[in-house]
Amino acid sequence: MTDALQHSKDKLMDDLHQGIADAEELLKLTANQAGESAVQLRERVRDRMSKAKVELLHLQQATVEKAKAAGHATDVFVHENPWKSIGIAAGVGLVVGLLISRR
């Protein structure tokens, strides 16, 4: 995993944990009162959740881009090496067949 992707994942997880902690605090606080501090806490929760959604969207986009790149690389390899690809597929099929037949 690249450093940027790992950093993004870590930040997302931190934001989600903080959002959960804020939500729990909000529940405890609003059980007894609904004053100014409850309103501020609700705003913090909303802000953190929106930040988490944005981070999750960026993480999703990065994952999709990596998957597309891997698919493209596989496609190029298969087109450039069709016989190797057939041999690899046959070998994998043989191994899977052997493993299944042992059961």
Side-chain angles (χ1 to χ4, degrees):
M1 205 179 288
T2 64
D3 290 338
L5 188 58
Q6 183 64 38
H7 176 70
S8 178
K9 179 184 168 195
D10 292 342
K11 179 150 177 35
L12 174 63
M13 292 306 293
D14 290 341
D15 286 344
L16 288 174
H17 286 295
Q18 188 62 46
I20 291 169
D22 286 348
E24 289 173 349
E25 186 181 346
L26 177 64
L27 290 175
K28 289 177 186 175
L29 183 65
T30 56
N32 297 329
Q33 64 184 18
E36 181 64 29
S37 59
V39 172
Q40 291 173 353
L41 187 57
R42 284 188 194 111
E43 287 300 316
R44 281 196 342 228
V45 169
R46 282 190 204 118
D47 289 343
R48 290 190 195 272
M49 293 307 288
S50 66
K51 287 179 184 177
K53 287 178 184 178
V54 169
E55 290 292 325
L56 186 59
L57 180 62
H58 289 309
L59 188 61
Q60 179 184 6
Q61 289 171 346
T63 304
V64 167
E65 288 174 13
K66 284 189 174 256
K68 285 182 181 181
H72 179 69
T74 303
D75 188 47
V76 168
F77 178 80
V78 169
H79 283 1
E80 290 177 355
N81 305 297
W83 290 109
K84 281 185 183 178
S85 301
I86 291 171
I88 291 170
V92 169
L94 178 67
V95 170
V96 169
L98 289 173
L99 291 173
I100 290 173
S101 69
R102 286 185 173 210
R103 288 184 174 205

